[in-house]
Amino acid sequence: MDGILYANSFSTLIAIDVRDLAKPIVKKILYKAFKSVYKAGYPMIENDGGLATAWQRDTVYTCYQNYYRYDDCIDCLEIIPTSLETVITGLEQSGPGQGGSMARFELDENHLYAIDLNKLYTFNIQVREDPKKWSRDEVGFGVETIFRQDSALYLGTQRGLIIYDISKPSNPVKASELSHTVSCDPVVVQDGLAYVTLRSGTACWGGDNELQIVDVQDIYAPSLIETHAMHNPHGLAIQGDLLYI
């Protein structure tokens, strides 16, 4: 936003001045910004906010590829990177960026919204380089992605689509929830329709592989319109009349 990049480092929020991409400058480190950091679904940091600054080698363990799962790395509150061209375009426009279907951060003019495994955070960024903690809402387990469209936030969770009304940006209010079988669940929204994918083969336990199309013209009364069978979809994007999965 206006040349300031917001990033997380474990439980810390960092504001970085990237107006000169060759010389980024850390403007603020907000410790204990997030309550919990998770590894494989279990809390690693609870109300601590500490960061490792030095270490020594003790024991080396071999990780076998067939035991690897995506969530064995620290992935909660992690921004999914877009192309550098997209980042530069966003900076040139000096407005809030639009996250993709796998994003964990979203912006409006004066607020940064972030999620972890079970919470929605709101930060005041009226002073761009000085983000301040504003509020925290308990959403429930399995929150994975966040997508903003107009005055609403759409949270993709392992148990369903949850919509927050941000017509008052500093005070997100839960508008509705549309449940589905437990499954990993990203979402994108356009023109009153939400597109949600569910997939199997993850730590989300689900067995469904499908695209769900949801009418969200009234965010307080979403309704499932139709479903389409898919083959293990991983994320989605929408541009104009095309939906990419």
Side-chain angles (χ1 to χ4, degrees):
M1 172 74 80
D2 296 335
I4 301 297
L5 173 69
Y6 303 100
N8 66 289
S9 177
F10 293 92
S11 58
T12 297
L13 177 66
I14 304 173
I16 307 170
D17 187 332
V18 291
R19 281 169 284 196
D20 183 348
L21 291 174
K23 297 178 181 179
I25 302 171
V26 174
K27 303 299 290 186
K28 182 171 183 178
I29 299 177
L30 187 60
Y31 294 103
K32 301 184 181 181
F34 308 110
K35 178 177 173 59
S36 306
V37 176
Y38 290 81
K39 180 179 185 295
Y42 298 96
M44 283 191 63
I45 299 174
E46 285 281 2
N47 297 312
D48 180 78
L51 297 174
T53 58
W55 58 88
Q56 65 181 18
R57 173 179 256 187
D58 186 349
T59 304
V60 177
Y61 295 92
T62 301
C63 296
Y64 296 96
Q65 187 172 1
N66 59 323
Y67 291 150
Y68 176 78
R69 288 192 328 216
Y70 81 96
D71 63 346
D72 281 337
C73 59
I74 306 300
D75 66 349
C76 286
L77 280 168
E78 186 168 319
I79 299 176
I80 305 300
T82 56
S83 68
L84 181 58
E85 181 181 356
T86 302
V87 173
I88 294 173
T89 300
L91 293 174
E92 290 173 346
Q93 292 173 345
S94 296
Q98 174 63 65
S101 70
M102 304 297 287
R104 293 181 180 271
F105 283 8
E106 276 290 359
L107 291 163
D108 76 358
E109 288 299 329
N110 291 310
H111 298 85
L112 168 68
Y113 304 101
I115 56 170
D116 68 10
L117 195 62
N118 51 31
K119 288 174 285 295
L120 170 65
Y121 299 85
T122 303
F123 297 89
N124 186 306
I125 55 168
Q126 190 166 7
V127 179
R128 304 297 190 220
E129 59 191 43
D130 186 24
K132 299 182 183 298
K133 288 191 289 187
W134 191 259
S135 68
R136 184 181 73 208
D137 293 273
E138 295 288 339
V139 179
F141 85 92
V143 183
E144 293 190 328
T145 65
I146 183 171
F147 190 91
R148 185 182 69 86
Q149 180 71 21
D150 299 326
S151 59
L153 295 174
Y154 298 84
L155 307 188
T157 81
Q158 293 176 14
R159 70 180 191 274
L161 172 64
I162 299 177
I163 305 175
Y164 272 78
D165 185 341
I166 55 169
S167 53
K168 295 181 179 179
S170 61
N171 183 35
V173 175
K174 183 177 178 180
S176 58
E177 178 174 351
L178 188 67
S179 299
H180 57 55
T181 57
V182 178
S183 181
C184 288
D185 176 25
V187 57
V188 294
V189 181
Q190 180 174 280
D191 296 334
L193 294 176
Y195 302 90
V196 179
T197 54
L198 284 66
R199 74 180 188 272
S200 62
T202 70
C204 303
W205 309 295
D208 294 333
N209 289 282
E210 63 184 27
L211 167 68
Q212 295 186 346
I213 302 177
V214 181
D215 184 338
V216 292
Q217 294 184 73
D218 181 355
I219 63 172
Y220 284 84
S223 61
L224 179 64
I225 298 175
E226 58 184 64
T227 63
H228 297 273
M230 303 292 295
H231 180 71
N232 205 232
H234 284 66
L236 62 168
I238 193 165
Q239 183 173 12
D241 294 331
L242 296 175
L243 177 68
Y244 300 93
I245 304 176

